[in-house]
């Protein structure tokens, strides 16, 4: 009887360079496809759709990324690093650092529907992503504490309010789409005014969207499937 083949990992042989290069190319194609689909449609995109977009087989996708959480982590880990509050904490003005942070993460939400989903969901199985989220959380708490100590941020503002803000912003982004794409800026401006203590300087309020643009957004929202991931 012919003995079973010994896998390369246990035989001491390294994969041929050509095979490693092909595997890396497939991985990059998958990540690029997932980024495009997640940005446009949110995290509801199926793994099968990602495989089709990347022009690879489902087996190839599962070899590179065994689970949906693995793929999401690979796509958004660097975005979560950018979402960290390091730059905001380095601002010598605690209130300016706080407003800068809020505006930055809301802009990132608006630019990428998938990232908007990541910010308002949890992925217990995606440990690397959750570790990055935890690191950002501690930075946010410090940012809030500093702004309150400077007496510019309301004392009753809590870190939970950040999550509520992100959920509200995600809802506006999903509802308005490209019909009134800058509406989120108006929302964030009003919320920063609500968070500020009396007499605190606040960023200028963005212009209100045109009535016709909001009307188009309302019509769009009434279509089946719009506004959901």
């Amino acid at each position: 009887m012919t003995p079973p083949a010994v896998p390369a990992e246990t035989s001491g042989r390294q994969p041929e360079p050509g095979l490693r290069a092909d595997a890396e190319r497939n991985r990059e194609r998958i990540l690029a496809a997932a980024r495009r689909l997640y940005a446009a449609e949110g995290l509801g995109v199926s793994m099968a759709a990602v495989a089709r977009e990347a022009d690879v087989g489902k087996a190839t996708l599962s070899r590179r990324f065994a689970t949906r959480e693995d793929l999401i982590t690979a796509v958004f880990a660097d975005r979560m690093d950018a979402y960290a509050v390091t730059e905001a904490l380095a601002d010598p003005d605690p209130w300016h650092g706080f407003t800068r942070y809020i505006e930055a993460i809301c802009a990132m939400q608006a630019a990428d529907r998938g990232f908007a989903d990541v910010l308002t969901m949890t992925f217990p199985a995606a440990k690397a992503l959750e570790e990055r989220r935890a690191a950002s959380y501690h930075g946010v708490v410090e940012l809030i504490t500093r702004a309150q100590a400077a007496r510019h941020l309301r004392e009753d503002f809590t870190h939970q309010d950040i999550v509520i803000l992100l959920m509200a912003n995600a809802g506006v982004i999903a509802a308005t789409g490209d019909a009134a794409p800058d509406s989120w800026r108006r929302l964030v401006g009003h919320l920063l005014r609500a968070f500020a203590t009396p007499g605190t300087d606040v960023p200028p309020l963005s212009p209100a969207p045109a009535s016709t643009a909001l009307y188009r957004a309302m019509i769009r929202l009434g279509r089946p499937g719009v506004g959901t991931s």
Side-chain angles (χ1 to χ4, degrees):
M1 179 182 293
T2 304
V6 179
E9 297 86 84
T10 59
S11 67
R13 296 195 303 270
Q14 295 297 319
E16 296 178 16
L19 293 178
R20 290 201 300 269
D22 285 345
E24 184 58 27
R25 279 195 295 270
N26 282 338
R27 184 179 189 279
E28 291 305 316
R29 287 169 64 183
I30 292 166
L31 288 175
R35 288 189 187 103
R36 288 193 299 271
L37 291 176
Y38 289 155
E41 303 177 30
L43 297 186
V45 173
S46 68
M47 294 288 274
V50 172
R52 286 194 300 271
E53 178 74 8
D55 195 22
V56 300
K58 292 180 182 178
T60 297
L61 174 59
S62 64
R63 281 196 298 272
R64 303 281 76 80
F65 304 99
T67 67
R68 172 175 174 265
E69 287 76 14
D70 289 342
L71 180 57
I72 290 171
T73 297
V75 170
F76 291 105
D78 60 335
R79 300 297 303 278
M80 288 299 289
D81 288 341
Y83 156 69
V85 296
T86 305
E87 290 185 10
L89 288 171
D91 195 313
D93 182 334
W95 172 245
H96 182 259
F98 175 82
T99 60
R100 174 183 176 183
Y101 169 74
I102 295 297
E103 290 171 340
I105 57 172
C106 289
M108 291 169 75
Q109 275 189 298
D112 188 326
R113 281 194 63 188
F115 189 65
D117 289 345
V118 166
L119 289 177
T120 55
M121 298 168 65
T122 59
F123 303 89
K127 296 189 184 306
L129 194 64
E130 291 303 308
E131 286 172 1
R132 284 173 164 85
R133 189 196 303 278
S136 295
Y137 162 78
H138 293 299
V140 170
V141 170
E142 184 177 353
L143 196 63
I144 291 169
T145 301
R146 290 183 181 186
Q148 288 174 332
R151 299 186 183 280
H152 292 307
L153 179 62
R154 292 172 55 121
E155 287 296 324
D156 56 359
F157 186 91
T158 72
H159 64 87
Q160 292 96 328
D161 291 319
I162 297 285
V163 178
I164 294 171
L165 180 155
L166 292 172
M167 288 179 172
N169 193 49
V172 168
I173 291 165
T176 55
D178 56 7
D182 290 328
S183 299
W184 68 270
R185 298 183 186 276
R186 183 82 172 179
L187 169 70
V188 171
H190 279 303
L191 289 175
L192 287 176
R193 280 162 168 69
F195 301 156
T197 57
T200 295
D201 289 334
V202 292
L205 193 63
S206 296
S211 298
T212 52
L214 279 181
Y215 182 70
R216 288 197 302 273
M218 292 167 69
I219 292 175
R220 174 184 176 279
L221 189 60
R223 295 171 185 158
V226 173
T228 59
S229 296

